[in-house]
Amino acid sequence: MACQESEYRDEHGKCTPCRKCMPGQELSKDCGDGGGGDAQCVPCPPRKFKDSWGHHGCKTCLSCALINRLQKSNCTATADAVCGECLPGFYRKARLSGQLDWECIPCTRQTPSSEPQCRSRTNLVKVAVPTVPPQDTALLALTSSALVIIVLVLLALSIIYCKRFWKSQCQR
């Protein structure tokens, strides 16, 4: 007999429900499908939360900055962060259905002036367009470093050669 998704096999071979942890805690290892009977409840790691009882794991906290919103309250072990309005220079775009998107997008010169967050053109956000891919930047830095090392080695060899040349000329 196979155990269900939320059961482990105990020492008698019987399928037993996984331990349920309180909010702010998760099991120390996966439990279910017959395994994980020795799992214990442990606190959620930093930047993770769990707001209900159960054997499920902690979830990653919402980052308001990543969706360009002000943070109203911090994430705790038992509650996710709460985001507020859009940051200055950003607005929430309405979908065709009339619902507002969760993520705030930057105000640009093309943003309709009907967006109240973007009426003041003084806080337009410049959308950065990378001109050089990161791989090319790394290659450029590596090549530049190699050239500097070669020039320094050649300079050192030139100084050594000049010292020997002048020493031999002075002895004559």
Side-chain angles (χ1 to χ4, degrees), residues 48-123:
K48 290 198 171 216
F49 76 100
K50 191 173 116 199
D51 56 3
S52 61
W53 279 85
H55 71 277
H56 57 282
C58 298
K59 297 181 264 184
T60 302
C61 294
L62 175 65
S63 172
C64 297
L66 285 178
I67 56 172
N68 304 311
R69 297 173 72 94
L70 296 170
Q71 189 161 324
K72 289 171 84 174
S73 67
N74 292 331
C75 183
T76 66
T78 57
D80 199 1
V82 177
C83 299
E85 294 300 314
C86 295
L87 291 169
F90 292 85
Y91 71 102
R92 288 172 64 190
K93 186 174 183 178
R95 293 190 208 148
L96 292 176
S97 63
Q99 291 181 321
L100 292 174
D101 279 336
W102 185 242
E103 182 178 1
C104 297
I105 55 177
C107 298
T108 64
R109 295 198 187 284
Q110 289 75 34
T111 304
S113 58
S114 60
E115 294 296 339
Q117 289 278 100
C118 300
R119 284 199 182 124
S120 168
R121 296 291 177 183
T122 55
N123 53 345

